[in-house]
Amino acid sequence: MTNQTLVIVNTTGRQGASLARVATAVGYNVRAHITTKLSEKDGAVAKELRELDNIELVEGSLEDQNLISRLFVGARRAFINTISWGDEVAIGKALANAAKKAGVQHYVYSSMPDHAVFGRGWPSLPLWSCKFTVENYIRQIGLPATFVYTGIYNNNFTSLPFPLFCMKIQPDGGFQWTAPFHPDKPLPWLDAEHDVGPAVLQIFKDGLQKWSGHRIGLAYQLLTPRQVCTAFARGLRRPCSYKRGPITVEVPIPSGYRSQLEGIEILFGKHEAPYFGPDIQAPGEALQLWEGYRGMEEYAREVFPLEEAANGLTWMN
């Protein structure tokens, strides 16, 4: 057991919540930043976090400099996964500055690539390039850090009419996934809730002597879209097929996410670029960190129906 303090930012997100669960279980004192109240969108996760042992919840905006300055005091390790809560670059830099000032010894930052830097005519994805900018800043200020690049969440799939990962229910009771990805080009996949926590915990355990400055492709399966549908069909015992096609938007979405989707169609649909760029491979290093991953078929069988039921769907009954 360890009595060291671990700071987690965005602890109601899938990555942060996964780490909080396993870190508190092995004895870390977790200082968990959250932005949502119990009555809001992620209230169930925030409520679960409040019930964990060894946890201190810090609630507030990351645009509050006073909150950021207090967040890392006395902490030796930190895991940071920011999302679009405003100016993500400014927030990411402020967090890094505060962590360095507080003397954080190992800072794990959830980053993503900026494909435009590879000089191959690939566009930047707006929700990824800001993370890459923050990663470069972390390196520039000399904060001791490791960078994880997460694969596509298994948990993105839903039969609700959300864009890109909708498993649309068919008249025969099966599913069809339509997306711009090449049907036979492998993509990296990750069950974020199940596997991020154990993997990041092992990064801290291995330490900077192994992972200083390193980028880790955190994904456990490389599956083509057709293989994903085969795994779903086996897991659910229902037909599941893949159709390559444009992203359709049937529900209101933020303008920033719309720009992200448009970029995905070009980057991965037109150019068929590698998901992490040409330099990061998976799942080799991810498997060094954690071998007990949950694969796509197990996710489809054990978790997907539960998540669908939680969203009020009844197709599994």
Side-chain angles (χ1 to χ4, degrees), residues 112 128 149-157 164-165 177 181 185-192 218-221 223 225 228 264 268 275-276 296:
M112 287 303 281
W128 289 9
Y149 284 49
T150 57
I152 306 171
Y153 294 2
N154 300 354
N155 321 76
N156 283 344
F157 285 111
L164 191 56
F165 293 105
W177 174 31
F181 307 115
K185 188 175 181 67
L187 297 165
W189 297 92
L190 169 71
D191 192 307
L218 197 55
Y220 286 93
Q221 288 184 298
L223 299 175
V228 168
I264 285 172
F268 300 122
Y275 192 80
F276 293 134
M296 189 66 73

Side-chain angles (χ1 to χ4, degrees), residues 61-172:
S61 169
L62 290 179
E63 294 179 317
D64 181 347
Q65 292 298 317
N66 290 327
L67 182 146
I68 287 179
S69 66
R70 300 192 309 267
L71 194 58
F72 298 99
V73 173
R76 298 180 62 185
R77 297 182 172 97
F79 174 74
I80 311 299
N81 177 34
T82 56
I83 58 174
S84 302
W85 294 320
D87 187 337
E88 190 169 352
V89 172
I91 289 171
K93 289 181 176 181
L95 288 166
N97 289 335
K100 184 176 182 182
K101 183 177 180 180
V104 169
Q105 297 177 9
H106 195 170
Y107 194 85
V108 176
Y109 179 73
S110 185
S111 188
M112 287 303 281
D114 181 353
H115 282 76
V117 305
F118 298 112
R120 304 189 185 187
W122 297 336
S124 295
L125 296 181
L127 300 185
W128 289 9
S129 60
C130 57
K131 295 180 181 295
F132 189 73
T133 298
V134 173
E135 175 189 331
N136 285 333
Y137 182 77
I138 292 167
R139 294 178 184 276
Q140 289 167 12
I141 66 172
L143 183 59
T146 305
F147 305 94
V148 293
Y149 284 49
T150 57
I152 306 171
Y153 294 2
N154 300 354
N155 321 76
N156 283 344
F157 285 111
T158 176
S159 66
L160 294 170
F162 296 144
L164 191 56
F165 293 105
C166 175
M167 281 285 185
K168 190 172 183 178
I169 298 175
Q170 302 298 295
D172 64 357

Side-chain angles (χ1 to χ4, degrees), residues 196-273:
V196 168
V200 172
L201 210 60
Q202 188 63 43
I203 292 171
F204 286 132
K205 185 176 180 180
D206 291 343
L208 291 165
Q209 61 269 28
K210 185 169 184 178
W211 301 116
S212 178
H214 199 73
R215 295 176 177 135
I216 300 171
L218 197 55
Y220 286 93
Q221 288 184 298
L222 293 178
L223 299 175
T224 70
R226 284 193 175 123
Q227 289 173 328
V228 168
C229 288
T230 297
F232 259 75
R234 288 197 302 260
L236 296 175
R237 297 185 179 181
R238 292 169 179 251
C240 185
S241 62
Y242 179 71
K243 177 182 176 182
R244 190 177 192 182
I247 299 171
T248 58
V249 179
E250 301 177 10
V251 295
I253 59 173
S255 60
Y257 186 48
R258 185 178 295 274
S259 298
Q260 179 83 357
L261 294 174
E262 292 169 353
I264 285 172
E265 281 200 314
I266 297 170
L267 182 62
F268 300 122
K270 177 182 177 181
H271 292 289
E272 298 179 8

